[in-house]
Amino acid sequence: MMRSAVLQSGVQAVMRLVYPPHCLTCNAIVGTDHGLCPDCWSRTPFLAGLRCDLCGAPLLGDDPTEIVHCDDCRVSARLWTRGRAVLAYRDNARTLVLALKHGDRTDLAEPAGRWMARVAQDIRLPGQIVAPAPLHWRRLFRRRYNQAGLLGSVVARELGLEHCPDLLVRHRFTGTQEGKGVDARFANVAGAIRVPPRHHARIADRPVLLVDDVLTSGATLAACAEACYSAGAGDVRVLALARVVKDR
Ligand SMILES: [Zn+2]
Ligand SMILES: [Zn+2]
């Protein structure tokens, strides 16, 4: 056992010499796997300090434990009870999200999912089911993977929770949300997502943690939350890799 562990670390050391770890978003060599070089790190806006308890948007204030809500979450009634996000969607965070979503960089799900699990520690609930925001099958066919599902799988593993990648299905093709205003985004996805009847018994009265890559208006996650509650779920919470925040 000991010997194989020593052998294993020896193999890893040799591999590191041949294939040193590279920065997640540029080609610079970094010290650890899944790391960012100092330059990319400084351009990656990790959210810290006081944040909205429903969406993770950064807010002004001194006490990060205070429960507060941002203007967006006060205006659009949120169907979920708490929410977290890791990054502000701009600069290198945008590069990361787009590479994961459209650039076949599925390897980014591992570090990103770990960051997400870390910020979700205080909204984790016993028995919670992790479920990704679904893609319509036409989009899934083109992209070959659901980036939210990849993130959900890492989040569930890190938090020790059950992952149900097909808990939600998008049964109506809704096209892109990009370029639409808030009301149009909500109208576009309303009723487009549901929990298939075969999962109703599984989620009855159980808390759900919804996972998505980007939280913009919250319309998609609202449609997901509504579908969960209609199928009998208990408390629904949300977790996004990045939150679109207005420039201040
Ligand atoms: Zn870099
Ligand atoms: Zn908010």
Side-chain angles (χ1 to χ4, degrees), residues 51-57 59 68-74 78 80 215 243:
R51 285 167 290 175
C52 171
D53 194 54
L54 280 163
C55 74
L59 294 168
V68 280
H69 298 143
C70 72
D71 288 347
D72 282 358
C73 290
R74 278 197 288 249
R78 298 302 193 198
W80 58 86
L215 197 163
R243 170 74 168 115

Side-chain angles (χ1 to χ4, degrees), residues 91-242:
D91 305 330
N92 203 44
R94 197 165 169 275
T95 308
L96 275 162
V97 168
L98 294 177
L100 172 64
K101 196 171 188 158
H102 302 295
D104 274 335
R105 288 287 311 276
T106 52
D107 60 298
L108 292 173
E110 181 62 38
R114 288 190 202 176
W115 296 336
M116 291 167 82
R118 222 169 294 155
V119 303
Q121 288 291 350
D122 68 334
I123 61 163
R124 179 194 187 281
L125 291 169
Q128 209 168 27
I129 298 184
V130 176
L135 294 180
H136 188 263
W137 67 264
R138 270 160 59 185
R139 180 152 293 160
L140 186 61
F141 183 75
R142 257 206 320 266
R143 199 176 289 166
R144 301 189 306 281
Y145 61 90
N146 176 4
Q147 71 283 359
L150 299 180
L151 294 169
S153 155
V154 178
V155 167
R157 186 197 70 213
E158 291 292 304
L159 292 176
L161 297 171
E162 185 186 336
H163 183 221
C164 186
D166 61 351
L167 182 74
L168 294 152
V169 290
R170 199 180 285 242
H171 59 93
R172 178 159 59 75
F173 189 71
T174 47
T176 179
Q177 292 281 75
E178 272 150 47
K180 292 186 170 73
V182 173
D183 290 346
R185 280 168 177 261
F186 274 86
N188 190 35
V189 289
I193 291 167
R194 67 187 175 90
V195 176
R198 68 176 187 282
H199 285 317
H200 286 196
R202 189 175 181 181
I203 69 158
D205 296 323
R206 281 182 67 181
V208 176
L209 180 63
L210 297 171
V211 168
D212 207 355
D213 53 351
V214 186
L215 197 163
T216 306
S217 64
T220 302
L221 287 170
C224 292
E226 186 155 36
C228 289
Y229 289 129
S230 304
D235 180 291
V236 176
R237 300 181 171 190
V238 304
L239 175 62
L241 174 57

Side-chain angles (χ1 to χ4, degrees), residues 22 31-32 36 50 117 156 199 210 215 240:
H22 288 257
T32 54
L36 289 163
L50 184 64
H199 285 317
L210 297 171
L215 197 163

